[in-house]
Amino acid sequence: MSDRRIRVRFAPSPTGPLHLGGVRTALYNYLFAKKMGGDFILRIEDTDQNRFVPGAEGYIIESLKWAGLNFSEGPGVGGKYGPYRQSERKEMYRQYADQLVENGNAYYAFDTNEELEEMRERMTKAGMSSPKYDHITREYMKNSLSLPKDEVEQRLKNGEHYVIRIKIPRNEEIKLHDVIRGWVTVKSAELDDKVLFKSDGMPTYHLANVVDDYLMQISHVIRGEEWLPSAPTHVLLYRYLGWEEVMPKFAHLPLILKPDGNGKLSKRDGDRLGFPVFTLNWNDPVSGELSSGYREAGYLPEAYINILAMLGWHPSDNKELFSMDELVESFTLERVSKSGAKFDFEKAKWYNHQYLKTKDNAYLANEFKPTLANYDVEVSDEYLQKVCGLIKEKATFLKDFWSLGSYFFLRPMHYDESVIAKKWDANCPAFFTAVNEKFKTTANFTAAELQVIYEQTATEMNLKPGNYMQLFRVLISGQAAGPAVWEMVEVIGKTETNIRIETAIEKFGVIGISVS
RNA sequence: GGUCCGUUCGUCUAGGGGUUAGGACCUCAGAUUUUCAUUCUGGUAACACGGGUUCGAUUCCCGUACGGACUACCA
C-alpha cells in the first residue's frame, strides 16, 4: 500500500463562488500531489439538487485555472475514472447502499420530516442534550429494524418514500489517523445513523464521497476541518464496504478565521472590512448580488497562491516568498498547522507588492496600457516601460499605477498645497529659473547629472539644496511623494521638465502665494 | 448542551525540557546630507491559567478557561 500511486481530489459542491478557504484546500491538495508525483483531480459534488447554482462549476474551474491549480482529471478534461460530477454518477451509488443493507450495516427508514422533528423535540424535552437517530431512538422510529419484515416489504412495494441509513454499532471505539492531528478516537455511541441514500435517489455526501474516493483510487483525503466529526462514520463505511485496506489517509485542514474577533471567515467580513473573500468576481444569479474577487481586485495569481500557502502551512525556516515550484518542493502535510488562522489583509497586500515589483517592465507596461487608453494617453512603449519601472516600487496593485503616476503622462492640474505653503519662499523663482536654464543647456539629461546641476546651483546661490527638494518634486509632479526625484525627472525628459518648471514659477509667482 | 479539534508577540508563525524564545506583517524611531506608500537599520511586543513529572518546563501529562468545528434526506 505504501507504493500506491498518490491521487488526491478537490471536491467542492457547486453552490456558489470559491471562498479563500476552498482555494487553499485545493492548493494543498495540488501541492501534495505534485510533490509526490501524483494526480490532482477535480470532482464536483452536486448531489444536492436543491442547492445547485448555475455558473458555480464554471466559476470554480476558472478560479483554479487562474490560480494555476491545474487538475489532470475532472469535468472538461475527462480521465479514466469519470465521470467527475456526482450527478452523472447517480446510478453507481445505489448498489453500495444495497450492499450495506444486505450485510446488515444499513437499513431503510420511512420517517417523515415531521416525525423526525417530533422525535428530536421529544428527546430534547426529555433532557437529551443532542437528539439523534441512533441505536436507541431508531427503536421507536419507522424503519426496517423496528418494523415487522412484512410491513417493511409492503411499504417498499407501495413505493413509499424512504432513506437508507447507516447502522452505527452500539458500543465501539472508532479510531482514525489524521496526518495533521494524529490519532482521533470517537465512541460509536456518539455517532448518529446518518442518511446515506436520500429519498430522491441521490446519495448523501457521506456515501458518495466514500464510494467515489474508492472508485477513483484516492490515496489521501485532504479537506477542511469541518469534516473531522463525520470522518469516523466514513471509516465505518470503508469497513462495511470491505475497503478498509485501501482506505485513503486523512488530513483535516484548519479553518481560515475572521481577521478580527472570532469565527470562521465569511463573505460578510470581507464586505465589512473591505477585502475580497472570493477568488473571482461573482455575480450571484439568484440575489443579483455582486461580490469582489482577488483577481479583479488586482492580485497577481502568484501572490494569491503564496498568501494562501502561508495561511496554515509554514516551512521550518523563515522563508516567506515561494513560487509555486518552490512550494511544491517544500510542502509537506506534516507541517500544516493544527489551529485556525486569522486572515490578515495587510499581509496579503504586502505579498502582492513583493510580486508586483519583481514583474518586468514590459509586462507591466502591457497591463497598464488599457488604463492609459481610457485617459486618451498615448506614449511610446519605451517611455511607458521606464515609468512602470519607477512606480512599481511604490505600488501594491497594478490598478494603483494611474493614481501613482498620472503625472508622467499629464501635466499636474493640482499641486500639493501643504508643501507649497510650507516651502515656497522669495528665493524660489530665481533659484528654479536658474536650475531650469542649466537643465535646458545640459547635454547630459540624466538623473546623476541633474542632481549635480541642482546642487551646484543651490550652493552658488547660497541656498540649502535640501530645503527645496520636495518643492521641486511638487513643481514637476504635483505630488509630495513618488519615486526618486532625479530619476523621475530624467524619465519625464528635458522639454517637458522645462515647461513644467516655467508653468509652476508663473503660477506661484514671486512671493509664493499660498495656494487657493 | 453534547462530541471532537485547537491555544507562542495585535496578526501569520519558527522553536522545543536548560534559548537573550527567532522571522514576517502591523506599529514606532532613525537612515537614505529631499518626500514617501518603496528600501535599509533599530525598537516595542508572546509561550492562556492551575496542578503534576523533572535538578529544571514555554516544551511532556492531567485539569480549567477560552476559541473553533460538528450536531440536516447540505456539502
Side-chain angles (χ1 to χ4, degrees):
Chain A
M1 225 182 77
S2 55
D3 57 342
R4 157 135 92 140
R5 182 167 179 83
I6 299 299
R7 289 171 56 80
V8 299
R9 81 298 191 282
F10 176 54
S13 55
T15 53
L18 247 199
H19 180 270
L20 274 178
V23 183
R24 195 197 51 174
T25 300
L27 173 64
Y28 287 10
N29 270 281
Y30 176 87
L31 294 176
F32 182 70
K34 294 296 157 190
K35 165 96 180 186
M36 307 300 283
D39 305 318
F40 173 59
I41 297 152
L42 175 66
R43 185 173 73 217
I44 300 295
E45 309 225 326
D46 54 350
T47 53
D48 185 358
Q49 293 146 338
N50 301 319
R51 293 211 308 161
F52 176 79
V53 174
E57 181 188 307
Y59 178 101
I60 289 166
I61 291 173
E62 200 185 340
S63 299
L64 295 177
K65 204 172 152 190
W66 177 70
L69 270 19
N70 303 312
F71 45 93
S72 54
E73 294 169 39
V77 304
K80 62 176 182 174
Y81 299 90
Y84 292 91
R85 279 183 203 98
Q86 288 183 330
S87 58
E88 293 170 9
R89 303 169 65 80
K90 188 173 174 183
E91 322 72 53
M92 311 173 85
Y93 305 108
R94 177 72 212 214
Q95 56 174 305
Y96 297 104
D98 288 342
Q99 185 189 325
L100 289 164
V101 173
E102 273 164 40
N103 296 341
N105 296 127
Y107 58 91
Y108 302 110
F110 302 97
D111 316 279
T112 62
N113 285 332
E114 293 71 35
E115 287 168 332
L116 288 169
E117 196 45 49
E118 236 174 72
M119 179 270 279
R120 287 185 192 112
E121 256 175 55
R122 209 171 54 233
M123 298 313 291
T124 310
K125 274 186 189 149
M128 274 281 278
S129 47
S130 51
K132 52 188 190 300
Y133 210 114
D134 63 10
H135 67 100
I136 296 169
T137 53
R138 69 180 167 228
E139 301 291 329
Y140 309 102
M141 304 301 287
K142 295 196 178 85
N143 55 61
S144 59
L145 259 27
S146 64
L147 263 23
K149 206 167 232 167
D150 50 343
E151 187 184 337
V152 172
E153 266 159 35
Q154 194 53 245
R155 281 173 182 261
L156 290 175
K157 213 169 280 171
N158 293 347
E160 262 186 47
H161 278 332
Y162 64 89
V163 299
I164 296 175
R165 287 180 181 272
I166 184 173
K167 186 182 168 195
I168 298 285
R170 177 186 274 274
N171 198 8
E172 244 179 64
E173 282 222 321
I174 303 157
K175 285 187 157 190
L176 77 119
H177 185 78
D178 184 283
V179 180
I180 296 168
R181 289 153 209 286
W183 286 101
V184 177
T185 311
V186 181
K187 291 187 179 63
S188 66
E190 303 295 343
L191 268 25
D192 61 344
D193 291 353
K194 287 236 154 53
V195 171
L196 301 177
F197 202 84
K198 299 185 273 189
S199 58
D200 66 358
M202 278 294 220
T204 60
Y205 172 87
H206 307 291
L207 212 222
N209 188 260
V210 166
V211 167
D212 285 343
D213 284 346
Y214 168 74
L215 259 18
M216 295 181 178
Q217 296 187 20
I218 298 303
S219 65
H220 295 255
V221 168
I222 304 168
R223 78 236 290 195
E225 194 184 6
E226 69 269 25
W227 293 108
L228 194 51
S230 51
T233 303
H234 304 333
V235 171
L236 246 23
L237 244 19
Y238 280 101
R239 187 179 301 164
Y240 295 156
L241 257 2
W243 302 336
E244 215 170 0
E245 287 302 301
V246 290
M247 182 171 77
K249 290 193 160 67
F250 294 104
H252 289 94
L253 270 21
L255 268 16
I256 297 179
L257 310 171
K258 310 180 186 300
D260 59 344
N262 304 117
K264 195 160 73 159
L265 179 68
S266 72
K267 171 177 152 34
R268 295 195 78 79
D269 300 311
D271 295 343
R272 182 169 55 86
L273 271 12
F275 62 84
V277 298
F278 299 129
T279 305
L280 275 30
N281 275 175
W282 168 253
N283 196 190
D284 192 286
V286 181
S287 66
E289 196 183 355
L290 183 78
S291 306
S292 66
Y294 278 84
R295 185 229 261 159
E296 288 80 1
Y299 279 81
L300 266 3
E302 309 91 294
Y304 187 55
I305 286 300
N306 204 147
I307 294 161
L308 258 24
M310 303 309 283
L311 222 46
W313 172 86
H314 203 277
S316 54
D317 59 19
N318 287 324
K319 188 173 159 71
E320 301 222 65
L321 264 12
F322 285 86
S323 67
M324 188 71 99
D325 287 344
E326 290 170 323
L327 284 171
V328 168
E329 176 69 29
S330 16
F331 186 80
T332 62
L333 284 175
E334 286 74 14
R335 292 201 65 85
V336 171
S337 34
K338 295 178 174 68
S339 48
K342 289 186 178 176
F343 180 67
D344 183 350
F345 190 53
E346 290 306 318
K347 193 142 188 183
K349 288 196 280 195
W350 176 81
Y351 270 110
N352 202 250
H353 171 70
Q354 296 303 313
Y355 282 92
L356 190 66
K357 68 180 187 180
T358 63
K359 287 286 176 188
D360 69 68
N361 301 155
Y363 165 88
L364 293 171
N366 208 37
E367 296 290 311
F368 190 24
K369 253 183 198 166
T371 308
L372 255 29
N374 289 155
Y375 290 97
D376 285 323
V377 169
E378 270 187 60
V379 291
S380 73
D381 283 355
E382 195 198 346
Y383 182 76
L384 186 52
Q385 289 181 21
K386 280 186 191 163
V387 171
C388 288
L390 287 180
I391 52 188
K392 70 179 179 184
E393 295 296 329
K394 327 282 286 180
T396 298
F397 300 110
L398 194 66
K399 61 175 183 166
D400 295 339
F401 275 29
W402 177 257
S403 65
L404 248 26
S406 61
Y407 56 82
F408 280 108
F409 314 102
L410 304 173
R411 287 176 194 157
M413 307 274 286
H414 310 282
Y415 294 85
D416 188 294
E417 301 184 6
S418 62
V419 176
I420 299 289
K422 200 165 129 196
K423 302 279 191 175
W424 189 277
D425 63 29
N427 297 317
C428 287
F431 173 54
F432 289 128
T433 301
V435 170
N436 201 23
E437 289 310 310
K438 288 186 187 168
F439 279 6
K440 279 179 188 171
T441 55
T442 182
N444 191 12
F445 201 79
T446 62
E449 180 65 18
L450 297 174
Q451 180 170 5
V452 170
I453 294 173
Y454 171 91
E455 283 172 3
Q456 278 176 356
T457 311
T459 311
E460 282 162 18
M461 296 177 72
N462 269 324
L463 298 172
K464 278 189 74 177
N467 282 164
Y468 300 97
M469 281 295 287
Q470 195 182 5
L471 193 49
F472 188 73
R473 167 194 294 286
V474 172
L475 300 192
I476 302 296
S477 73
Q479 299 187 5
V485 174
W486 305 116
E487 286 176 45
M488 175 182 96
V489 174
E490 179 186 327
V491 169
I492 287 174
K494 185 189 278 192
T495 315
E496 182 64 22
T497 300
N498 296 151
I499 295 170
R500 291 192 186 187
I501 294 175
E502 279 160 16
T503 307
I505 292 172
E506 228 167 87
K507 183 169 169 69
F508 299 112
V510 187
I511 325 231
I513 353 134
S514 96
V515 230
S516 70

